[in-house]
Amino acid sequence: MKPGRVYLIGAGPGDPGLLTVRGRDCLRAAEVVVYDYLANPLLLREAPQAETIYVGKSKGLHHLPQNEINALLVKLARQGKIVARLKGGDPYVFGRGGEEALCLAQAGIPFEVIPGVTAAFAAGAYAGIPLTHRDYTTSLGLFTGHEDPAKKLSTLDWAKLATGVGTLVFYMGMSNLDTITRELIAHGRAPQTPVAVIRWATLPAQQTLVAPLCEIAAVVAAAGFKPPAIIIVGEVVALREQLSWFDRKPLFGRTILVTRAAEQAGEFSAMLQDLGAQVVECPTIRLDPVADSTGLDAAITALPDCSWLILTSGNAVRFFFARLAALGLDARALGRCRVCAVGPRTAAALRTFGIHADLVPPDYKAEGVVEALVPRLQPGEKVLFPRADKARDVIVSGLSGRGVEVLAPVLYCNTLPATLPADALAALEAGGIDAVCFTASSTVENLYTILGAAGFHRLLAPLAIAAIGPITSKSCTKLGLPVAIEPAEYTLKALAAALVSYYSA
Ligand code: SAH
């Protein structure tokens, strides 16, 4: 049997983008991933091939005992597995990675350690606090604040560290914050020394409290702050006033429900996350290729007779080229047929298949397509419009009314999921969502069907409703939801910008 191997990987502090490239490569190579409470589960997307084993806290209960985790790693490696042991932050900083590595070394199991961005460094960076600065401090210490009640804080030499170290960072110190601050003051640290407590650093849920050493414990208690949080003590904390950037992002602190079809949500979500928002994805439609493609295939065969191909979404582009490929064809099947894309996103999707759209109407919707194409078509000409099963009738009726023959086979179908994803429903029920974005009428109508009229109104009425354009807005109003946010241009980018102006108003 091939020998197994264990990669002790630092997952970083939370933001999945802070995993190292080496860490990602090891996850991609893993057969099993053993992960912790503080390792962002989104990182598991890097290891779809692997079995995953969660060894973190569940519902407040403490994790699998450390000796059992050690034994698990040894057992898996002895089965010949490539094991990714994913730990929050850095594996060797207060993460018991040292114990796991010793256990592997003693068992003779090959292992590698991939460092990660530790919480102290991440919290400093994302809260706008340089942990060292020539004018303020030349030393930095990392300490454990021992949340484990079985251990005593008295293992720290307060007399030495209170004045001997410039910047002090405490991990796991929340339940002992009062003791920590009192000991530091009692041993000579100035009571006015600024302190920052940063919770869920680097994630959209990041929260920061700043107060003098003599007051911070009371401030934190009053705010009901809970772990995980990092405590930074030192003059450098004052720099946050000038250097904070993460929590100044325009959508920081907002939680936004994104209702696009699962296949397309990623890009829009990334856009909102970049603006600082916390995104909860809630697909309301699943897109499937048409089950019976006879009509579609016949229309594709007729392509040489068509003067235009009309595609009205990125999905239409992807499903269309997928069907061409299934038929053993490619972009050359278009021959001299020109291509109309409903908007810039659709045009961009076309470019990934090597097609430059001949026409993108100035008005990015079906009406715009009709208006732009009418002067370019003679009666009797043929166009191909492969469409979604629930597409509006505008293009077909608009063009055939001018004597144009419109081939409009169904290309893909919208399927309604039976329920919402559990995390989205829980967030809605808990009042944890600020705004919901609708990017098509179907997303509104589907959500209505999935939640039922009563649930739809109860859960969505308190939210800010954002719709991509007037048609989607109308569908919202028709179902009793007043729309607060609607961009002038019907694009995702414009919708994101409209959310920003709504929240900065
Ligand atoms: N190995 C980890 C630390 C594990 S100990 C690392 O290198 O970061 C767990 C403690 O880390 C928590 O109690 C908290 O103090 C800190 N921590 C981890 N992730 C954090 C985050 N995103 N924000 C704030 N503190 C965090």
Side-chain angles (χ1 to χ4, degrees), residues 289 307-308 341 372:
S307 34
W308 285 90

Side-chain angles (χ1 to χ4, degrees), residues 2 66-67 88 155 157 168 203 205 210 218 251 253 261 284-285 294 330 362 400 411 427 433 454 462 464 493:
K2 71 181 164 77
Q66 189 62 46
N67 57 355
T155 49
D157 187 340
L168 300 98
L203 290 168
V210 177
L251 294 181
T284 55
I285 19 177
T294 323
D330 58 29
S400 48
L411 174 64
I433 306 280
K493 220 168 136 190

Side-chain angles (χ1 to χ4, degrees), residues 64-334:
L64 205 63
Q66 189 62 46
N67 57 355
E68 286 180 33
I69 298 176
N70 299 351
L72 176 68
L73 296 178
V74 170
K75 185 183 92 182
L76 291 168
R78 288 214 169 118
Q79 289 168 357
K81 301 245 168 73
I82 304 286
V83 183
R85 169 70 177 115
L86 193 59
K87 299 173 71 68
D90 182 274
Y92 277 180
V93 179
F94 303 126
R96 307 192 72 171
E99 291 162 60
E100 293 175 17
L102 278 170
C103 195
L104 295 168
Q106 279 153 15
I109 288 162
F111 67 92
E112 289 182 31
V113 183
I114 294 103
V117 177
T118 192
F121 297 173
Y126 276 58
I129 302 169
L131 297 181
T132 70
H133 183 292
R134 298 204 321 164
D135 298 341
Y136 297 85
T137 172
T138 50
S139 64
L140 166 67
L142 307 184
F143 307 93
T144 164
H146 280 324
E147 248 139 39
D148 186 346
K151 290 191 197 142
K152 290 223 173 64
L153 273 173
S154 56
T155 49
L156 293 175
D157 187 340
W158 295 104
K160 284 188 179 144
L161 61 90
T163 52
V165 182
T167 307
L168 300 98
V169 184
F170 291 89
Y171 288 69
M172 300 175 281
M174 290 306 278
S175 48
N176 284 320
L177 184 58
D178 193 43
T179 316
I180 292 169
T181 53
R182 274 190 290 110
E183 292 282 7
L184 289 175
I185 293 170
H187 289 88
R189 193 71 178 217
Q192 292 306 315
T193 311
V195 181
V197 177
I198 301 133
R199 179 163 194 259
W200 286 125
T202 77
L203 290 168
Q206 176 175 312
Q207 285 174 288
T208 306
L209 291 174
V210 177
L213 190 55
C214 56
E215 289 170 21
I216 188 74
V219 169
V220 163
F225 243 45
K226 293 199 180 69
I230 274 284
I231 302 158
I232 305 180
V233 181
E235 303 305 330
V236 285
V237 169
L239 292 169
R240 169 173 158 78
E241 259 180 52
Q242 295 169 69
L243 299 181
S244 74
W245 58 273
F246 184 61
D247 30 18
R248 286 192 207 177
K249 289 196 169 206
L251 294 181
F252 181 81
R254 311 287 176 186
T255 305
I256 296 173
L257 195 72
V258 170
T259 61
R260 311 198 78 200
E263 292 83 346
Q264 328 158 288
E267 195 193 338
F268 186 49
S269 299
M271 226 182 263
L272 296 178
Q273 278 158 348
D274 211 37
L275 291 163
Q278 170 140 33
V279 172
V280 178
E281 285 184 358
C282 176
T284 55
I285 19 177
R286 202 178 69 224
L287 303 182
D288 300 316
V290 63
D292 176 4
S293 59
T294 323
L296 175 63
D297 294 350
I300 287 174
T301 316
L303 259 176
D305 307 328
C306 294
S307 34
W308 285 90
L309 167 67
I310 304 166
L311 292 165
T312 54
S313 70
N315 287 315
V317 172
R318 283 180 284 277
F319 280 109
F320 181 73
F321 281 92
R323 190 62 210 156
L324 283 187
L327 295 172
L329 300 169
D330 58 29
R332 289 169 296 176
L334 293 178

Side-chain angles (χ1 to χ4, degrees), residues 19 76 105 109 213 227 296-297 336 349 353 363 388 417 420 436 470 481 505:
L19 176 72
L76 291 168
I109 288 162
L213 190 55
L296 175 63
D297 294 350
R336 298 165 61 133
F353 293 96
D363 189 17
L420 296 187
V436 53
L481 281 189

Side-chain angles (χ1 to χ4, degrees), residues 482-504:
V483 173
I485 302 156
E486 187 199 297
E489 199 188 334
Y490 323 136
T491 63
L492 295 175
K493 220 168 136 190
L495 181 58
L499 279 159
V500 169
S501 31
Y502 176 80
Y503 281 113
S504 52

